[in-house]
Amino acid sequence: MQQIDTKQMRSEILRHLKYSLGKDEQHATVYDWRMSLSLALRDLIVDPWFASTRRTYEAGAKRVYYLSMEFLIGRLIEDVMVNLRLDVVARDAVASLGQDYDIVVYDEPDAALGNGGLGRLAACFLDSLSTLGIPAYGYGIRYEHGLFEQAFEDGRQIEAAENWLAQKHAWEFERPEVTYTIGFGGDVQTSGGKSKWRPAETVNASAYDTPVVGWQGKWANTLRLWAAKPTRLFDLESFNRGNYLAAAEPEALARTISRVLYPDDTTDTGKELRLKQEYFFTAASIQDLLRRFASEGHEIDALPNHVAIQLNDTHPAVAGPELIRLLADEHGMAIDRAIGVARQCLAYTNHTLLPEALERWDEDLFARILPRHHGIIELIEEAHRKESGSTVRIIDEGSVKMGELAFIMAHKVNGVSALHSELVKENLFTELHESYPDRITNQTNGITPRRWLYSCNPSLRGLINEKIGTDWPDDLEKLAQLEAHIDDSDFADRFRAAKAYNKQRVAEWIKQRDGTVIDPSALFDVQIKRVHEYKRQLMNLLETVALWNEIRNNPNENWTPRLKIFGGKAAPGYVIAKEIIRLINDVAKTVNADTTTNPFLQVIYPENYNVTMAELLIPAADLSEQISTAGKEASGTGNMKFALNGALTIGTLDGANVEIRERVGAENFYLFGLTADEVVARRERKDFSREAIASSPRLARVLRQIESGAFSPDEPSRYVALVRRLQEHDYFLVTCDFDDYFRTQREIDRDYRDSEGWTRKAILNTARMGWFSSDRTISGYARDIWNVNGLRDG
Ligand code: F58
């Protein structure tokens, strides 16, 4: 790796300031400095990037293509600096130029091209693919507007368009020459046994490449994002007639396709546009990888030896029919063979069991937008029926089921935690699993330790480096060596001091945001994630109110001070989730204003949770809330980030919580609640929620308060419907798990007061979380699914 010192870095920054930004030092703004620093860093990735491409070509190596509608990458400056091991050099260089490093780094927009876990997982995977030196491309959409910005008005979530591309994106290279035409609609002509699709509408997909550099700059892959552009510019004739709006219409329509990230993670709204987005980026990616494959001169049958396509959920599932279409209609391959070749290339990751999140397209819509693909899906179904005797349909009762399509077209299907993969076999693809018992595998999710420990937690990183050396970031199981120091009280003190430092940082940040003063020594109890009923922010809130009641009843008891931190957005159309957000804000207002309870309990909910906020809050957390209804959270990855940074988990036996608990030890994990099987059984019981409420005076009181407007005095009936829902059909079993949750929280209060005992548990969490590195996850995909090797070191 090219190493440069502070002086060289400084002069590179100044060179870019002058020649790329056209500014001198006197007139440079924070933006100019940030861009200059980023461009100086980007220069250093280019050589390893070229070298990686050359090595891949020379080795004739198989490439992985990770197709994902979402890449939630966040800010990149620190990521790149850390991976290039230039964090100290860059910091010094920026300081030597009289600039505040934090201000410069925080100027970068947080690239939010994703909704939550699924998108962030894709970003962690890119980091690990590069770290392991696996030749790979990430393919996605270059949304002009990422996930909406959230603000609170009277406690209510308000959404505003995000605008990360208002400024130039420092890391990307525009590739105008890499453009493909993508069709929609039209009809299919068949003659002499050959079919040809004649689309009615076309748009161009234009590539933008961002190099993704791995640990120590040894390897770099490409994130290639597609932007939609018109195939015809504007209509000059209309323009000349003065009809400016009509003239601009075709262009505006084309660009709509990559305009906004779909912000709904429950239901399908804007259906047609969403389907077009999916086909748009999938078709461009498949054309692109076939062009690369052809340029290497292989026989088309050899495609599976050179190409592994991973479908991140069903959003790119049309890759199957698209690949078959190109193989059959363009390359003349027989359909059955094309199906076989495509299947050997494709694999599919499932991220959810929630029925409302499983994609289904109205058949008429699908056939209208993608008539040839509709026909191909019928052929796939027929081939599948013949091959397996299975009666499972892809097109069923007027809808196209993308999960079934992805399953049937993939040689491997994986879940994202051990429990989830079993539930995928048992409940989601029961019949298909019977027909293809070897197809479903498990690959438990992971997180990149570079971003989620090394970079976001400098105080803990320093201590770890001192104790076990510096080669853990790409070999995270080395953290186990920390256990040898478990009885060293000096080490424990410093571990605690690192946490205290991170909490102090948060306290200052909160103060700066809105003037709120919090107690940095309180137990930081954090729940940050998308707001969803199954994630049960509501249960956390009910417990908050119950605790508030108890403190008011006995203000002189020895309470453990707690700071409840919530963070997260709700899909704009998800009414119930938005109601929960409002209730959190209403409760926070009342509770924070109570001077009796204030020393022991505060609730904060900072607006606009994003990757940057996670990087600040996770290292400061004492307690991680992973309290989903068992069987509903496919894996969770936040749970891993917290435990790695020494927070203890309060959690149900759900998703990867199960594996985290196994690894960190049951005594270092606060388990509560019904299991997945018990959840199913409990729902069968008539009136289960009324029964649970009746047996818990504590819960009944909380519900009465909320229902009667104790937290919404300006509109007492605001939460009547919410409480009614809990009483009548509490699908996510908040009421059933409440008492056990409350009890466990009080156990946590007691344990936290034993500071040494708590720190011991925290250290053991950090030391035992090494397995959850996304390097381990990616090695699993490479071995079990893609059949590829890393080229980094050999
Ligand atoms: C998440 N899914 C799972 N979907 O909920 C979580 O348990 C898991 O750890 C994570 O994937 C990674 O495997 C998720 O984030 C979405 O955001 C989709 C966005 C597009 C619409 C459908 C949901």
Side-chain angles (χ1 to χ4, degrees), residues 70 115 117-118 264-265 274 315 351 416 445 534 633-636:
E70 307 193 359
N115 278 293
L118 171 149
D264 201 328
D265 67 358
R274 170 83 173 167
H315 319 141
H351 296 268
V416 289
N445 283 166
Y534 83 81
E633 188 69 271
S635 161

Side-chain angles (χ1 to χ4, degrees), residues 12-32:
E12 283 301 293
I13 295 173
L14 287 172
R15 186 172 66 80
H16 275 294
L17 186 66
K18 185 169 173 189
Y19 294 107
S20 306
L21 279 297
K23 284 285 183 80
D24 61 25
E25 281 182 69
Q26 284 65 46
H27 298 96
T29 61
V30 174
Y31 167 78
D32 298 321

Side-chain angles (χ1 to χ4, degrees), residues 698-737:
R698 184 176 280 127
L699 173 61
R701 176 173 175 204
V702 171
L703 293 181
R704 272 197 311 275
Q705 286 168 292
I706 295 174
E707 190 182 16
S708 65
F711 304 99
S712 52
D714 52 327
E715 188 193 346
S717 63
R718 187 175 298 157
Y719 299 110
V720 168
L722 183 144
V723 172
R724 198 67 69 239
R725 253 193 325 268
L726 283 180
Q727 290 162 334
E728 284 167 10
H729 34 87
D730 175 21
Y731 185 75
F732 297 99
L733 286 87
V734 168
T735 54
C736 306
D737 275 346

Side-chain angles (χ1 to χ4, degrees), residues 673-684:
L674 301 175
T675 62
D677 288 341
E678 288 165 352
V679 162
V680 174
R682 182 62 63 93
R683 279 204 198 102
E684 299 285 294

